[in-house]
Every structure is written in C-alpha cells, then in structure tokens.
C-alpha cells in the first residue's frame, strides 16, 4: 500500500458494559413524601420566612424609624433578605423531593447553630430566641440525615 492510499478506520469494539449517562435527569420520585422530609421542608421554610420578616423589619426601621445609621439598617435588611432566599429555595426543593435541596438546607442549619449560640450569649429575651433557633436547626439536621429522607431524595450509596 502506498503512503497516499488511505487505510480504512478501525471500528471501535462494542463495550461490554454500558455506563450510566451522568447528564440524564434524575427520575421523578414516586410514592408519598415521607413525614420526616415534609417536616424538614416546613421547618426550613419557617426559618426562611423568619429571616425575610427580620429583613423587612430592618428595612422598615431604616426607612420609617430612627436607627443609629439608616444606611446600615438598609444594608443589613437587604443582606438578611438575600440570606432568606437560600432556605426558602431549599424548602421548596425538599417539598418537591429534589436531591440538590438537601445541601442548601444542611448549610442553613449549620450556619444557624453559631447564630443560636450568639443569641443565647446575648442574654434576656434573646436566650429564648437562641434556644428556638438551635432546636429548629438540630431537628432539621436530624431529619435530613435520616435514611428515610435521604432515600426519598434519591441520595444513597452509589452502585
């Protein structure tokens, strides 16, 4: 065969095993939503609503009240409102049984624990608020790592 002649391309041998397409969407969950997952979604939503209410309060106080620094009140209010988005989106995802939603919800709970500690150390009425935040965060953490919840979200050992 001369160097100008083309050789036919070698055909690839068929693979003995097919690999899962990792870009394929996860199958829709079937069956009823476990009560533990529902409770985690509701508690996460309550945390998000509480953060949103605090952010709105801070904004209103910055506009209509007499804070020490209106600019600081507005900035704080907008920041807290932005932070409220994460648990609200996570709660919706948990309610709809989306596997991605577990991470943002876990992060929210982990961040809530130092906030609770700070509130408890603040004294007075803040102690009750801190205990409430800590209890809610710990309950949601336990609910989200429960095998029933992880199964319902399609999270489990990889095979």
């Amino acid at each position: 065969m001369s160097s100008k002649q083309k050789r036919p391309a070698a055909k690839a041998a068929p693979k003995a095993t097919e690999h899962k397409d990792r870009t394929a969407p996860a199958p829709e969950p079937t069956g009823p939503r476990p009560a533990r997952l529902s409770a985690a979604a509701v508690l996460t939503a309550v945390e998000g609503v509480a953060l949103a209410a605090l952010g709105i309060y801070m904004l209103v106080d910055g506009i209509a009240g007499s804070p020490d620094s209106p600019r600081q009140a507005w900035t704080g209010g907008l920041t807290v409102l932005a932070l409220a988005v994460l648990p609200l989106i996570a709660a919706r995802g948990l309610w709809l049984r989306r596997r991605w939603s577990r991470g943002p919800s876990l992060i929210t709970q982990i961040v809530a624990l130092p906030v609770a500690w700070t509130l408890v150390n603040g004294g007075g009425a803040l102690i009750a608020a801190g205990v409430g935040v800590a209890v809610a965060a710990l309950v949601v953490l336990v609910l989200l790592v429960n095998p029933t919840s992880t199964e319902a979200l399609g999270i489990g050992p990889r095979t």
Side-chain angles (χ1 to χ4, degrees):
M1 197 181 280
S2 73
S3 62
K4 292 185 179 180
Q5 293 177 334
K6 291 186 181 178
R7 292 185 182 178
K11 292 185 180 179
K15 293 181 180 179
T17 59
E18 281 189 35
H19 295 286
K20 284 186 177 181
D21 182 12
R22 298 198 189 275
T23 60
E28 289 295 318
T30 58
R33 181 184 317 103
R36 290 178 175 120
L37 188 59
S38 298
V42 169
L43 282 172
T44 303
V46 167
E47 291 170 337
V49 168
L51 277 172
L54 177 61
I56 291 169
Y57 171 78
M58 291 172 74
L59 281 175
V60 169
D61 186 47
I63 295 169
S66 56
D68 294 336
S69 169
R71 180 176 289 169
Q72 188 176 11
W74 299 336
T75 305
L78 290 174
T79 301
V80 172
L81 277 174
L83 290 173
V85 172
L86 182 66
L88 291 172
I89 290 172
R92 184 173 188 276
L94 289 172
W95 190 260
L96 297 174
R97 295 170 66 175
R98 303 291 189 251
R99 70 184 296 158
W100 59 262
S101 62
R102 183 173 175 242
S105 185
L106 287 171
I107 290 168
T108 299
Q109 308 320 313
I110 292 168
V111 168
L113 291 173
V115 171
W117 179 256
T118 303
L119 289 172
V120 167
N121 287 328
L126 294 178
I127 292 173
V131 169
V133 169
V135 167
L138 290 172
V139 167
V140 174
L141 282 170
V142 168
L143 291 171
L144 288 176
V145 298
N146 186 282
T148 305
S149 297
T150 56
E151 246 179 62
L153 292 170
I155 301 169
R158 299 187 187 247
T159 56

